[in-house]
Amino acid sequence: MKIQSPNSLAVEFHDCFWGTNGFQELRKYIKQSAEFAKELTSILQERSELETTYAKGLSKISARLAKASKDAVGTLANAWIGIATEMEQEAELHRYVADFMQQEVAQPLRTLNETHTKSRKQIEAQVERADKALKERRADEFKVKRDSHTLSKELEKLQEQIYAVKLGKVKSSSEKEVGKLQAKRHKLADSVRLEEKEYHDAAVRAERARQDWDSVMFKSANHLQNVEEERRKFLQETGVKYVNVMSSMAPKYVQICDKMRDNMNRVDLNLDIQSIISERGTSPNIQEQILCDFYAEDMVNLMNKDRRLEFLHRYAAIFTEDIQKELKSREVTEKVRNAWFVLGMGHLAQVYRDTPNFATEEGQMEVGEKLQHSDTMLRFLQACLHKVHATMADVDGLEKPRHPLQRFMERDRSKGLNVTILRIPEWVARDLKPDQNGDIQNTAAPGSPINQALQERGSRASSAGSGHGSVGRKEGFRQSVMVQSHIYPQSPTHQSFDQVDHGSGMPEAPPSYSEACKGRCRALYDYQARMPDELTLKVGDIILIHAKQSDGWWRGELRGKMGAFPACYVEEV
């Protein structure tokens, strides 16, 4: 196996072992590593027992030699007595080695294995509980969502029936029957309102459960990485101890021990972690937030225009209220912060570090986690609100509003219902921050490679007049690396979000490339490789193109090295 340089690789398990499958793969590897440590403990214990047995044998024959030489006369006997004495010294040396390996090597390693096993089982139990809770919340959310849509459909049919009676299309209906229909409509409308409120609450509970699951997965991966690093460091130290004690036994062991020491000195903990990630890593940390999709939002569903707008305005008010509540929750942390230092929100962690008596390290991490969850929840609520505003504009025939999050929203259908997913890579989410009003703002510098790439891709697609592209849910290390200007894939049953939300005036995504082609391109921006199979680009580099892939990445050759690079960082020449 070829070992890659750690400078070009990720160093955290939580970035590369994500989701249920990723955790299962990581747990499998950690268990294999623990079995290796246990087997090594057994081998070292047996080695200690062999030293003890050998020392006993040497001591026995040393006594026999001393006894045999005692009755002898002359210098020859004295020589053999001296040999017997040295033999006893050698036996004492082996007894020292046996005791050292038992007390300083085998026993501590056995204790470490037991501690790690107990810790690993606790982590696995936490992950299982979080995964179970998330599945239950998702199941409750779907059930309430289905019931809400069913009641909304029934209410719409009843509304049309009453409307037909009022227009005189149904001649046999009496005033009494009309009154019954009106009463039934009011009752059904109340049921729809309650069911939609329950669905909204279930969606929020499911999102919070997902955030809890996200936190558990993040902490579990970090904990398992710490366990693996601790185990590997201990095994390295154990190997060094073994080499040192063996090298002290006799000069004839020096050459062998030097080779062994060289091998142990070559151990690189960071490189080991990189090798694990490179060979076993599953997917990057990209959050998937399932947004609310109400019946009235789907323009395919038949519904009176005025009633649709009434429902949409109600949804907008609900999400606006949720955003205000979330902002008030953030204010609590800000008040605590301002009581100590007058600094910005971004300096909260620094405040705690500069004030040791204010909070522990664990408290600092909890505050940071709460702020991160608050940002995530505000993005969730803002995305839901934007969808509602876009639908309202579509109903009124107005230009659709734009939003920084619309580039990361994907639509699909699951079990006959629309499902909208907000999928933002972690490194992009850092630049999408809520302001004091809760609005999501792109905080990236105007001249940053990300923003320039977005403008270029949008203008190229618009001038080319190409059809709508799509970005699939690809598994692997490289998911939607650059921000996507076209989000929802088209299907025969519904439109893409760009079509609904922006009309023909918005830039479309560039056409996807599936076939290989030849050519050359020039790097427009610097790019630092994040994976072993990527190329590091400098402005002005000329790259030979070998293939153009549909995920926005090309493969090429630069300075004799083959690898992948983002297409939005280059231009063809």
Side-chain angles (χ1 to χ4, degrees):
M1 179 183 67
K2 183 178 180 181
I3 304 299
Q4 301 290 338
S5 172
N7 295 330
S8 62
L9 302 173
V11 294
E12 301 294 341
F13 278 174
H14 63 76
D15 286 329
C16 299
F17 290 92
W18 199 248
T20 303
N21 294 336
F23 180 80
Q24 293 297 332
E25 182 66 23
L26 179 58
R27 181 171 66 175
K28 179 180 177 181
Y29 175 79
I30 295 298
K31 186 175 181 180
Q32 291 175 350
S33 181
E35 291 297 327
F36 166 72
K38 290 180 180 179
E39 183 65 14
L40 183 58
T41 304
S42 176
I43 292 172
L44 294 174
Q45 177 66 34
E46 186 174 349
R47 180 71 172 84
S48 175
E49 293 171 356
L50 287 174
E51 288 289 344
T52 301
T53 302
Y54 185 67
K56 289 180 179 179
L58 277 177
S59 182
K60 182 178 180 180
I61 61 176
S62 174
R64 286 178 60 190
L65 180 59
K67 182 179 180 180
S69 302
K70 185 178 181 180
D71 296 334
V73 179
T75 59
L76 183 59
N78 293 334
W80 280 107
I81 290 174
I83 292 176
T85 302
E86 294 299 324
M87 194 175 292
E88 181 61 27
Q89 291 295 324
E90 185 180 359
E92 184 64 25
L93 177 60
H94 283 281
R95 278 193 291 269
Y96 165 78
V97 172
D99 292 340
F100 180 89
M101 295 185 66
Q102 173 64 28
Q103 299 297 328
E104 300 295 328
V105 177
Q107 184 60 38
L109 187 55
R110 185 181 297 108
T111 302
L112 181 70
N113 290 337
E114 293 173 354
T115 302
H116 284 178
T117 299
K118 182 178 179 180
S119 175
R120 188 186 76 246
K121 290 182 179 180
Q122 292 176 350
I123 288 296
E124 292 174 356
Q126 292 177 5
V127 172
E128 290 176 358
R129 287 194 297 268
D131 189 65
K132 181 180 179 181
L134 178 59
K135 290 180 180 178
E136 291 175 352
R137 291 298 186 186
R138 288 300 185 204
D140 293 341
E141 178 188 10
F142 176 78
K143 180 178 179 300
V144 176
K145 179 180 180 179
R146 181 182 56 194
D147 295 340
S148 173
H149 282 231
T150 300
L151 289 176
S152 297
K153 187 180 295 184
E154 293 176 0
L155 177 61
E156 188 63 21
K157 290 181 179 179
L158 185 60
Q159 293 278 22
E160 293 298 333
Q161 185 178 354
I162 294 175
Y163 184 72
V165 171
K166 290 182 179 181
L167 293 179
K169 295 181 180 181
V170 181
K171 299 179 180 180
S172 60
S173 298
S174 63
E175 294 183 358
K176 183 177 181 180
E177 291 175 344
V178 172
K180 289 181 179 181
L181 291 177
Q182 290 287 358
K184 183 177 179 181
R185 181 185 66 81
H186 288 299
K187 183 177 180 180
L188 189 56
D190 292 339
S191 298
V192 169
R193 190 176 297 104
L194 292 175
E195 197 67 28
E196 289 180 341
K197 179 62 171 61
E198 184 176 355
Y199 168 51
H200 163 265
D201 294 342
V204 173
R205 287 194 298 269
E207 171 59 18
R208 295 194 184 278
R210 188 203 64 77
Q211 293 181 5
D212 294 339
W213 172 87
D214 195 359
S215 298
V216 170
M217 295 296 294
F218 186 92
K219 294 177 180 178
S220 300
N222 284 343
H223 179 80
L224 292 180
Q225 180 170 347
N226 292 335
V227 167
E228 182 65 15
E229 290 176 346
E230 182 181 2
R231 179 188 293 115
R232 287 180 171 271
K233 184 176 181 180
F234 191 89
L235 292 180
Q236 181 191 12
E237 295 173 350
T238 299
V240 172
K241 290 179 180 179
Y242 177 83
V243 171
N244 289 337
V245 72
M246 290 298 296
S247 64
S248 66
M249 290 182 65
K252 63 182 180 180
Y253 295 142
V254 171
Q255 185 177 2
I256 298 175
C257 292
D258 285 341
K259 293 181 180 179
M260 297 169 64
R261 182 181 293 106
D262 290 339
N263 290 332
M264 297 305 301
N265 289 337
R266 291 193 187 100
V267 173
D268 189 332
L269 298 180
N270 289 332
L271 191 57
D272 285 349
I273 297 299
Q274 304 311 321
S275 299
I276 296 169
I277 292 174
S278 177
E279 296 180 8
R280 301 292 186 90
T282 56
S283 62
N285 177 7
I286 299 182
Q287 298 180 358
E288 292 188 359
Q289 298 175 270
I290 300 180
L291 306 181
C292 294
D293 287 286
F294 292 101
Y295 180 87
E297 288 187 81
D298 192 348
M299 299 299 291
V300 177
N301 296 330
L302 298 179
M303 192 172 186
N304 179 269
K305 177 180 178 181
D306 293 336
R307 286 192 296 274
R308 187 187 296 274
L309 287 174
E310 177 185 352
F311 278 88
L312 292 175
H313 281 290
R314 184 196 307 166
Y315 304 151
I318 292 174
F319 289 123
T320 302
E321 182 180 358
D322 288 344
I323 292 172
Q324 295 303 317
K325 290 180 180 178
E326 191 66 30
L327 289 175
K328 290 181 179 179
S329 177
R330 292 173 65 93
E331 291 178 0
V332 175
T333 306
E334 292 179 349
K335 289 180 180 179
V336 174
R337 173 208 61 189
N338 293 331
W340 288 82
F341 291 92
V342 182
L343 293 174
M345 176 65 74
H347 297 279
L348 183 57
Q350 183 65 39
V351 171
Y352 285 140
R353 285 195 294 270
D354 294 342
T355 314
N357 296 330
F358 179 69
T360 62
E361 182 178 354
E362 182 178 356
Q364 297 177 23
M365 295 178 63
E366 290 179 357
V367 170
E369 183 177 321
K370 288 179 181 179
L371 292 175
Q372 184 178 2
H373 285 185
S374 178
D375 291 344
T376 304
M377 179 55 71
L378 285 172
R379 287 194 291 268
F380 170 82
L381 296 173
Q382 286 286 359
C384 292
L385 181 61
H386 170 66
K387 281 183 350 79
V388 173
H389 286 165
T391 307
M392 293 168 59
D394 187 62
V395 173
D396 291 332
L398 303 176
E399 182 180 357
K400 313 308 180 296
R402 303 184 181 185
H403 198 278
L405 296 179
Q406 69 192 31
R407 305 176 183 276
F408 308 98
M409 297 161 61
E410 302 180 9
R411 178 175 294 163
D412 202 350
R413 290 190 70 84
S414 175
K415 301 180 181 179
L417 299 177
N418 282 342
V419 177
T420 305
I421 302 174
L422 181 64
R423 183 182 290 109
I424 309 178
E426 188 274 337
W427 63 278
V428 176
R430 290 197 296 264
D431 292 328
L432 298 177
K433 295 293 184 180
D435 59 14
Q436 60 182 1
N437 297 322
D439 296 329
I440 304 300
Q441 303 292 336
N442 183 359
T443 60
S448 64
I450 294 179
N451 283 331
Q452 293 186 23
L454 286 174
Q455 296 174 1
E456 290 182 3
R457 297 181 75 176
S459 61
R460 291 175 184 173
S462 178
S463 61
S466 58
H468 288 283
S470 63
V471 178
R473 300 176 62 181
K474 176 182 177 183
E475 295 289 344
F477 281 109
R478 190 179 296 110
Q479 280 191 349
S480 304
V481 178
M482 291 306 299
V483 185
Q484 303 161 358
S485 62
H486 185 78
I487 307 302
Y488 294 155
Q490 266 188 305
S491 70
T493 57
H494 65 276
Q495 292 178 308
S496 71
F497 189 82
D498 282 348
Q499 289 174 312
V500 174
D501 191 37
H502 300 297
S504 59
M506 282 300 295
E508 299 174 348
S512 60
Y513 294 92
S514 58
E515 70 281 355
C517 62
K518 300 290 184 178
R520 298 195 309 165
C521 58
R522 178 185 295 106
L524 299 176
Y525 318 103
D526 291 344
Y527 176 75
Q528 179 62 44
R530 299 181 176 88
M531 300 301 302
D533 62 340
E534 295 179 1
L535 294 177
T536 296
L537 306 181
K538 299 295 183 182
V539 175
D541 283 347
I542 301 298
I543 306 100
L544 298 180
I545 304 173
H546 286 263
K548 297 180 180 179
Q549 301 173 170
S550 59
D551 59 356
W553 286 76
W554 292 358
R555 292 195 61 82
E557 181 179 355
L558 176 62
R559 291 185 283 274
K561 179 182 177 181
M562 291 290 296
F565 56 93
C568 54
Y569 275 62
V570 301
E571 65 175 359
E572 292 192 66
V573 296

